[in-house]
């Protein structure tokens, strides 16, 4: 959808250009991973005042963090870090960066949720059981949470924002395997707005 939109409008007049998925994925991973690492890592000033029993985190990369996931870190990511990320594309066009950001966040959620099943932590297991009980598709629930809580976009072209919303909705609906797993689509009129960011 984004490619078709950006290919067939007057690119020079509107400044709309197709951004390749490899570029958007790289930029989103580099940015989101750094935000998550900064939120999780213990500041150097706090590390110097070592308190007994308090675990300090200092990860250089996302693979380092994901390999070392423990119950406390999973709880911090699920309840504090991931839900509080606000990702804004001030010239979102048809939503290429928003879709890439969604994919990056889905991968982080998937890693954390996959680890929960092996940790035997009562709180995390209860969170997962409640999510599975309340939502027929965990994948749909996670995507919906990301779209409503994390992703924001603005574009001067109203048509572009409509396509961005549509792309996010299609990605959300695609995560349901059956009609029964579908839930009402969220209202993201506030998340994706037509306007002049400047």
């Amino acid at each position: 959808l984004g490619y078709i939109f950006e290919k067939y409008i007057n690119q020079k007049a509107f400044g709309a250009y197709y951004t390749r998925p490899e570029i958007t994925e790289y930029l989103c991973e580099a940015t989101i991973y750094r935000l998550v690492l900064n939120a999780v890592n213990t500041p150097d000033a706090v590390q110097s005042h070592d308190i007994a029993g308090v675990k300090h985190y200092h990860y250089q990369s996302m693979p380092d963090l994901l390999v070392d996931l423990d119950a406390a870190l999973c709880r911090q990511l699920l309840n504090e870090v991931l839900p509080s990320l606000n990702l804004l594309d001030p010239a979102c066009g048809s939503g290429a960066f928003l879709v890439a950001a969604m994919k990056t966040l889905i991968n982080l959620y998937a890693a954390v949720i996959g680890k929960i099943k092996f940790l035997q932590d009562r709180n995390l297991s209860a969170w997962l059981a409640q999510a599975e009980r309340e939502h027929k598709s965990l994948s749909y629930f996670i995507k919906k949470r990301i779209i409503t809580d994390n992703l924001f976009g603005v574009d001067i072209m109203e048509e572009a924002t409509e396509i961005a919303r549509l792309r996010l909705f299609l990605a959300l609906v695609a995560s349901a395997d059956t009609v029964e797993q579908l839930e009402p689509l969220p209202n993201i009129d506030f998340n994706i707005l037509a306007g002049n960011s400047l």
Side-chain angles (χ1 to χ4, degrees):
L1 280 172
Y3 175 75
I4 292 168
F5 172 74
E6 289 154 5
K7 189 77 175 164
Y8 290 102
I9 67 166
N10 186 335
Q11 293 183 335
K12 284 188 179 179
F14 296 107
Y17 294 95
Y18 177 69
T19 309
R20 295 170 56 90
E22 303 85 41
I23 296 170
T24 57
E25 288 169 14
Y26 169 77
L27 291 173
C28 287
E29 284 180 2
T31 304
I32 294 170
Y33 288 174
R34 180 52 42 205
L35 287 171
V36 171
L37 290 171
N38 288 344
V40 167
N41 285 337
T42 308
D44 293 336
V46 176
Q47 286 184 19
S48 62
H49 296 61
D50 195 17
I51 302 170
V54 175
K55 185 174 180 181
H56 297 297
Y57 299 115
H58 191 71
Y59 300 110
Q60 297 296 324
S61 68
M62 189 54 63
D64 293 343
L65 182 148
L66 295 177
V67 165
D68 195 42
L69 278 176
D70 59 9
L73 192 51
C74 284
R75 279 193 299 274
Q76 184 181 3
L77 287 169
L78 274 179
N79 300 323
E80 298 168 27
V81 177
L82 293 176
S84 67
L85 289 178
N86 294 316
L87 307 170
L88 169 67
D89 185 349
C92 69
S94 61
F97 283 96
L98 297 176
V99 171
M102 179 179 62
K103 289 179 182 175
T104 301
L105 288 171
I106 287 168
N107 291 338
L108 291 176
Y109 270 104
V112 172
I113 290 170
K115 187 70 174 187
I116 288 175
K117 298 174 182 176
F118 299 100
L119 288 175
Q120 307 299 325
D121 180 82
R122 184 180 305 147
N123 291 335
L124 290 171
S125 297
W127 179 90
L128 184 58
Q130 180 181 359
E132 289 174 335
R133 191 171 51 251
E134 292 177 359
H135 305 279
K136 294 182 173 113
S137 169
L138 190 60
S139 175
Y140 189 97
F141 164 66
I142 295 299
K143 276 188 184 178
K144 185 175 176 182
R145 185 176 184 180
I146 290 168
I147 290 169
T148 57
D149 295 351
N150 303 118
L151 303 180
F152 300 90
V154 179
D155 199 273
I156 200 161
M157 290 186 66
E158 191 168 349
E159 298 89 348
T161 59
E162 290 296 327
I163 291 176
R165 284 189 202 106
L166 181 59
R167 284 178 80 177
L168 293 174
F169 286 148
L170 287 174
L172 180 59
V173 170
S175 62
D177 295 324
T178 64
V179 175
E180 291 74 28
Q181 291 180 345
L182 291 175
E183 297 178 17
L185 294 173
N187 181 358
I188 57 171
D189 289 344
F190 174 76
N191 297 56
I192 315 293
L193 294 171
N196 189 338
S197 295
L198 294 177

